[in-house]
Amino acid sequence: MPYPETFTGFQVHSAATWTEFHKNEFQPKPFGDYDVDIKIECCGVCGSDVHTLSGGWGPQHYPLAVGHEIIGTAIRVGPKVTLIKEGQRVGVGAQSYSCLECRQCKNDNETYCRKQLDTYGAVWPDTGIVSQGGYSSHVRTHEHWVFPIPDGLPSAVAAPMLCAGLTAYSPLVRNGCGPGKKVGIVGLGGIGHLGVLFAKALGAEVWVISRTRSKEADAKKLGADGFLAASEPGWNEPHVMTFDLIVSTANSFDGFDVDAYLSLLDVHARWVSVGLPEGDGIKVRSQTFLANGCFFGSSHLGSRRETLEMLQLAADKGIKTWVEEVPIGDKNLAQVLQRLHKGDVRYRFVLTNYQDQFGA
Ligand SMILES: [Zn+2]
Ligand SMILES: [Zn+2]
């Protein structure tokens, strides 16, 4: 196959038709000195893909190919690339650019850079080209956001770690998750199940907090030490002011009693929200934080350093993402996104068989 001048991807043309995928050719951004072209092997399906395509997070640039849990092979590297070698198996997550020069970038906080760009749906400055994600033949990415995948980690296991895994891992390590700590994970979905796996791998006591007990058996299989069902009366009482850290992956705030959740935290302990529900969010009052002086915050992805550490930890400890593999194609994409929209997956779809659609 000749080296492609254009890439091919499964794009959606409007929010109103968000489950109709069209196999289109598109122009990637111009190849830069630090860029790596990656031939994609598989890609995880993130909740963001649904929120973005369906317009739930607001207007988007269509046509758009989403997907930001990408694994593939580096087939071309720019003349100034030092971090990646041609032929290497690599991954790309949800972020594809930051300035690398500002205060945040220089402190391992490049995911908070004011110039950060997303892997899909972002407009590249100067060119006006909209970044396209991993439901595609190839992706072109600056080396800083291209991560070598350790040999011990299968591609389909690694893919979901690049967004969901990192989203859970970064707030865990930044907020002291480790031996002797009691950590809560709210919501057992794509991010939540990786949160349980990583929090256990880091040595903490881990509790899953879900609405009902429907996922209790899965939580235990994932290694959770305990399970709380927030729909049960008085569910929080036995655990009030005992948690050191809670990472919330909740995807909806319908009927969410934030006071009951925050009551679980020890003095000055932290609540980190990483789920991004559609809609107006929740109201909190200062009084909510008084009883334990707790902190309420959020977290965005993670740094390159954290990504590499996370992948190595996963390889060393044999961490296994729970995945359902589905060959990429227009019909399968429509089904997979509708199932994800309903929460009908345990716990991550990974699109595979790229060679059948895009050639070897
Ligand atoms: Zn994502
Ligand atoms: Zn920056």
Side-chain angles (χ1 to χ4, degrees):
M1 182 181 164
Y3 192 81
E5 294 294 324
T6 58
F7 298 167
T8 305
F10 285 95
Q11 294 181 315
V12 163
H13 289 180
S14 74
T17 57
W18 70 275
T19 58
E20 292 172 24
F21 289 85
H22 305 265
K23 197 168 159 185
N24 297 334
E25 277 187 33
F26 60 86
Q27 188 75 44
K29 76 184 178 85
F31 191 78
D33 286 351
Y34 292 97
D35 279 343
V36 179
D37 274 357
I38 297 157
K39 179 162 172 45
I40 301 177
E41 171 194 344
C42 65
C43 183
V45 179
C46 178
S48 306
D49 302 354
V50 173
H51 294 297
T52 300
L53 290 179
S54 65
W57 281 349
Q60 305 294 331
H61 302 283
Y62 298 97
L64 183 64
V66 295
H68 58 207
E69 295 180 339
I70 300 165
I71 304 282
T73 305
I75 56 169
R76 178 191 184 194
V77 302
K80 293 187 178 166
V81 168
T82 60
L83 302 175
I84 302 296
K85 291 186 179 62
E86 209 175 291
Q88 207 168 15
R89 188 171 61 125
V90 295
V92 173
Q95 184 175 355
S96 285
Y97 181 80
S98 78
C99 78
L100 299 180
E101 287 169 358
C102 70
R103 176 189 174 105
Q104 284 71 35
C105 282
K106 286 182 172 161
N107 286 300
D108 278 331
N109 284 319
E110 65 269 35
T111 190
Y112 299 96
C113 175
R114 293 186 69 193
K115 295 183 176 165
Q116 82 97 25
L117 292 176
D118 294 337
T119 294
Y120 61 73
V123 180
W124 287 102
D126 305 328
T127 66
I129 289 175
V130 175
S131 61
Q132 303 289 322
Y135 296 8
S136 306
S137 60
H138 301 78
V139 68
R140 175 169 292 168
T141 309
H142 186 292
E143 64 169 346
H144 187 85
W145 290 273
V146 180
F147 313 110
I149 305 298
D151 285 341
L153 215 49
S155 294
V157 167
M161 292 178 183
L162 294 164
C163 176
L166 186 61
T167 296
Y169 178 83
S170 175
L172 289 171
V173 294
R174 287 183 184 218
N175 292 289
C177 177
K181 301 290 181 171
K182 183 173 175 183
V183 172
I185 302 288
V186 176
L188 198 59
I191 302 172
H193 95 287
L194 280 161
V196 174
L197 292 169
F198 282 121
K200 281 308 292 180
L202 291 164
E205 174 187 343
V206 182
W207 288 68
V208 170
I209 306 167
S210 188
R211 307 281 175 123
T212 70
R213 294 203 171 267
S214 67
K215 292 178 177 171
E216 184 169 12
D218 285 355
K220 296 284 168 64
K221 267 188 233 165
L222 287 160
D225 300 286
F227 189 94
L228 299 176
S231 60
E232 296 173 356
W235 65 275
N236 57 327
E237 275 304 323
H239 297 271
V240 164
M241 292 176 75
T242 64
F243 279 82
D244 296 289
L245 169 66
I246 296 177
V247 175
S248 171
T249 73
N251 201 26
S252 158
F253 286 135
D254 293 341
F256 196 88
D257 180 0
V258 66
D259 289 38
Y261 285 88
L262 293 181
S263 75
L264 299 171
L265 291 169
D266 195 2
V267 175
H268 300 332
R270 294 179 187 188
W271 171 281
V272 183
S273 272
V274 295
L276 296 172
E278 298 178 6
D280 293 335
I282 42 173
K283 278 187 185 158
V284 289
R285 301 163 70 233
S286 302
Q287 287 86 332
T288 297
F289 306 109
L290 271 188
N292 51 11
C294 66
F295 292 91
F296 189 99
S298 188
S299 175
H300 184 241
L301 298 172
S303 66
R304 176 180 179 85
R305 185 175 57 74
E306 286 167 337
T307 308
L308 298 176
E309 282 172 9
M310 171 193 70
L311 292 169
Q312 196 56 54
L313 178 71
D316 292 346
K317 300 249 179 181
I319 292 175
K320 291 268 187 299
T321 317
W322 289 20
V323 298
E324 184 175 333
E325 298 185 26
V326 180
I328 191 168
D330 53 355
K331 301 278 182 308
N332 282 353
L333 283 169
Q335 257 184 26
V336 155
L337 290 190
Q338 277 161 338
R339 281 185 56 197
L340 181 58
H341 192 50
K342 290 185 290 189
D344 175 24
V345 56
R346 296 196 176 183
Y347 283 94
R348 206 62 157 179
F349 290 112
V350 175
L351 304 166
T352 60
N353 295 53
Y354 272 55
Q355 69 283 359
D356 297 345
Q357 290 290 342
F358 303 119

